[in-house]
Amino acid sequence: MIELKNASQFKRMRKAGKIVADTLALMREVARPGITTLELDRKAEEYIRAQGAIPAFKGYNGFPATLCTSVNEQVVHGIPSLRSLESGDIISIDCGAVIDGYFGDAAVTLPIGDVDENLLKLLKVTEESLMFGIAQAKVGNRLYDISHAVQKHVEDNGFSVVRDYVGHGIGRAMHEDPQIPNFGKPGRGPRLEVGMALAIEPMVNMGTYEVLTLKDHWTVVTKDKKPSSHFEHTVAITENGLEILTRS
């Protein structure tokens, strides 16, 4: 069942969303060659807790960290470690926070140092596909209008959309109904209406859409070991229109 939020609930989600957005802004500043993903995680946790919020991912189904840090061919759910970032890497940073009982969730993929032009295109197209999807999140549309907009832009640019992981509703829980695939035919799925809160998150691969999970039971990688990119925003469909809650 899709839970519709009221103005008071959206107000609390705005607070969570801002903390997530500001945390990712901090990551943009500090993610440089030589820093470890564990250090990124420490800085993120310190910031989130300093705002009076709780890292949403830490302990979630046993996940051990504040951030998901997925480097190069890692798609999602990478565990922060002593791995140092190198010039030419890309890193997807997924962040969640909960405050006043409500969640925010967003992700960015950042270039580290001097990055290949093809990788920069992958990042650009993924972020653009997110915005094309968000543009379809309006009253009267169907859920799969979002999905189709993402898929079309990605595939028109020669990349592929991950099938095994999808976006989701969000609110009092980090994952709520509905699931939001990044692929599908338009005009299908639930009708979008005021009160919906959605975490839209394209995961886009340079090569095949197929993925595998590593032996740590968390880190998802591309089957062909080619790079992957991930962008996400939490959005609200309000009486005044669409609002991106995790935009800094």
Side-chain angles (χ1 to χ4, degrees):
M1 179 178 292
I2 300 173
E3 180 187 275
L4 301 181
K5 280 75 177 176
N6 58 35
S8 174
Q9 291 172 303
F10 277 145
K11 183 177 181 180
R12 284 178 276 181
M13 290 192 70
R14 250 179 233 112
K15 192 173 179 181
K18 184 178 189 309
I19 292 168
V20 169
D22 290 347
T23 304
L24 290 176
L26 173 62
M27 295 298 100
R28 289 181 185 275
E29 293 178 8
V30 301
R32 297 288 184 270
I35 196 168
T36 68
T37 56
L38 192 62
E39 181 68 6
L40 293 177
D41 191 75
R42 184 186 66 79
K43 290 179 182 293
E45 181 172 1
E46 286 179 354
Y47 182 81
I48 290 169
R49 293 192 185 279
Q51 311 313 306
I54 298 170
F57 298 170
K58 195 164 190 178
Y60 184 80
N61 290 335
F63 189 75
T66 292
L67 301 175
C68 296
T69 54
S70 307
V71 182
N72 298 333
E73 77 281 2
Q74 296 175 353
V75 180
V76 285
H77 306 160
I79 300 173
S81 70
L82 293 176
R83 176 177 185 167
S84 294
L85 297 179
E86 299 179 2
S87 182
D89 286 341
I90 59 172
I91 179 170
S92 298
I93 302 177
D94 195 353
C95 179
V98 57
I99 191 167
D100 296 338
Y102 284 81
F103 286 77
D105 187 8
V108 296
T109 303
L110 304 177
I112 303 300
D114 187 14
V115 172
D116 182 84
E117 287 186 6
N118 290 327
L119 283 176
L120 293 177
K121 181 183 177 183
L122 174 66
L123 271 57
K124 180 175 182 288
V125 168
T126 307
E127 187 169 19
E128 288 172 348
S129 75
L130 169 62
M131 300 313 296
F132 278 119
I134 287 173
Q136 295 299 314
K138 53 190 176 183
V139 173
N141 277 5
R142 297 278 186 181
L143 185 73
Y144 274 60
D145 294 336
I146 298 172
S147 310
H148 177 73
V150 170
Q151 182 181 16
K152 184 177 189 305
H153 187 65
V154 169
E155 294 182 353
D156 282 352
N157 281 278
F159 301 126
S160 64
V161 174
V162 172
R163 263 68 165 170
D164 292 25
Y165 297 89
V166 299
H168 51 91
I170 186 170
R172 289 184 287 186
M174 187 161 61
H175 294 105
E176 297 183 354
D177 289 335
Q179 291 193 342
I180 310 167
N182 294 302
F183 61 96
K185 294 183 179 180
R188 298 185 178 185
R191 187 80 67 181
L192 302 180
E193 54 185 303
V194 170
M196 286 186 175
L198 308 172
I200 301 171
E201 51 176 326
M203 289 148 272
V204 177
N205 295 347
M206 182 82 77
T208 179
Y209 66 80
E210 295 179 292
V211 298
L212 302 169
T213 303
L214 298 184
K215 290 180 180 179
D216 64 14
H217 304 296
W218 282 107
T219 308
V220 177
V221 300
T222 56
K223 189 173 183 179
D224 58 11
K225 304 300 188 238
K226 292 184 179 180
S228 184
S229 174
H230 178 205
F231 283 82
E232 177 182 17
H233 273 307
T234 296
V235 303
I237 303 176
T238 77
E239 291 185 352
N240 298 316
L242 180 73
E243 182 178 350
I244 299 177
L245 302 179
T246 48
R247 175 178 276 167
S248 57

